[in-house]
Amino acid sequence: MSLNRLAVSATNHCLTGCAIGEFAGMALATAFGWGNAPQIALALALAYLFGFSLTALPLVRAGLAAGVVVSTALAADTVSITIMEAIDNLTVVLIPSAMDAGLDDALFYGSIAAGFAIAYPFAFWANRYLIARGRGHAVVHEHHAH
C-alpha cells in the first residue's frame, strides 16, 4: 500500500474513533443537561477511548500481550486523536450557538462534522509524516495486516 493510502487509512481510522466518542459524549452530556466544560471533557475522554479501542481490538485478537497492545495503540493514535480533538472542539466552541444546540438541532451535528472536516487534512499530514518514519500506524502494521 502506498504511503498516502496508509495515511488515509490511519486518518479514517482516527476519524471513526473520534467521531463515535465525540458524538456520544456530546449527546450524553447534552441529554443530561451538563455545562460546556463537562460536555467537552466527556467527549474528549470518549474520543480517546474509542480511538484507542479501535486500534487495540485487532491487536488483542492477534494475541499480543496487554503491554504491547497499550503501547502500540498509544504510539499509533495519540498524535492523530489529539489533532482531531483539538481542532474539532475548537471549531464547535467558535461556531456561534453550537455549544447550546440540542440533540434535535442540525447545528449540533453540523458543528461537530465541520470540526472533523477541518481537522482531517491536519491529521492526514501528521499520520503521513509518522508512517513515513516508521511511527504512528506503521507500528500497528508491524503486528497485523490492517
Side-chain angles (χ1 to χ4, degrees):
M1 197 181 293
S2 75
L3 177 59
N4 284 337
R5 287 188 68 197
L6 283 171
V8 165
S9 175
T11 307
N12 288 343
H13 176 268
C14 174
L15 175 65
T16 301
C18 287
I20 292 168
E22 190 76 24
F23 278 108
M26 295 292 237
L28 287 169
T30 298
F32 293 144
W34 292 358
N36 291 344
Q39 184 176 26
I40 291 171
L42 179 61
L44 280 170
L46 291 178
Y48 277 96
L49 176 70
F50 280 99
F52 290 136
S53 294
L54 288 177
T55 295
L57 288 174
L59 298 173
V60 169
R61 286 187 198 122
L64 298 174
V68 174
V69 170
V70 170
S71 63
T72 302
L74 290 173
D77 292 325
T78 300
V79 171
S80 186
I81 292 171
T82 300
I83 290 169
M84 283 273 186
E85 286 303 305
I87 294 172
D88 181 64
N89 282 287
L90 181 62
T91 301
V92 172
V93 167
L94 292 176
I95 292 175
S97 303
M99 289 300 296
D100 299 321
L103 296 174
D104 60 345
D105 190 339
L107 183 58
F108 174 86
Y109 302 98
S111 63
I112 296 171
F116 284 130
I118 294 166
Y120 191 92
F122 294 97
F124 167 81
W125 285 110
N127 281 321
R128 188 181 189 286
Y129 177 86
L130 291 169
I131 292 167
R133 283 148 188 81
R135 306 269 188 242
H137 263 261
V139 177
V140 175
H141 291 273
E142 293 174 8
H143 297 291
H144 71 80
H146 195 44

